[in-house]
Amino acid sequence: MDIVASENLVAVLLSLAGIVSFPSPTKVKKLKGVATADGLVHRKFHRLAPHQLWVTDITEHPATESKIYCCAVLDAFSRFDRWTVPRQP
C-alpha cells in the first residue's frame, strides 16, 4: 500500500506522535579497499526474475539508553522487502 504524503505532513505527524530524529551525519565514511554497492552491482538494480539480487542496509540509531539497529532487505526484482528492528545487535 503506497501512501503519498509531503515531507511537511510527515514532519507534523511525527511531531504529534512525539517522534524525533537526530541529524544525519554530513559525511559518509568510505572504507578503502572494501567493495560498496557501486562496485558490486554497478548501480544496475533491474532484474528479470526474482531472487537474482537482494540488497540490504543496516542503520544504527542512537536512543536514550542504547542504540537501535534497523535492517532492511529488498529483492530488486519484486521490490518485496523485509525489515526488522532488533533489541540488540
Side-chain angles (χ1 to χ4, degrees):
M1 175 172 85
D2 293 334
I3 299 173
V4 179
S6 70
E7 188 175 333
N8 290 338
L9 175 60
V10 173
V12 168
L13 294 174
L14 291 175
S15 176
L16 291 173
I19 300 172
V20 296
S21 66
F22 294 96
S24 62
T26 57
K27 192 173 186 181
V28 175
K29 294 180 183 178
K30 290 203 173 193
L31 300 175
K32 293 180 182 179
V34 176
T36 63
D38 293 335
L40 296 174
V41 296
H42 305 289
R43 309 296 298 168
K44 296 177 185 172
F45 297 106
H46 178 73
R47 293 295 183 254
L48 299 175
H51 307 298
Q52 290 181 342
L53 175 66
W54 287 81
V55 292
T56 185
D57 183 42
I58 300 172
T59 308
E60 177 184 275
H61 301 278
T64 305
E65 296 179 7
S66 63
K67 295 178 182 177
I68 298 172
Y69 296 88
C70 178
C71 176
V73 180
L74 177 73
D75 179 11
F77 172 75
S78 65
R79 304 291 195 253
F80 180 75
D81 65 335
R82 296 279 185 199
W83 60 273
T84 184
V85 180
R87 293 187 185 271
Q88 296 180 351

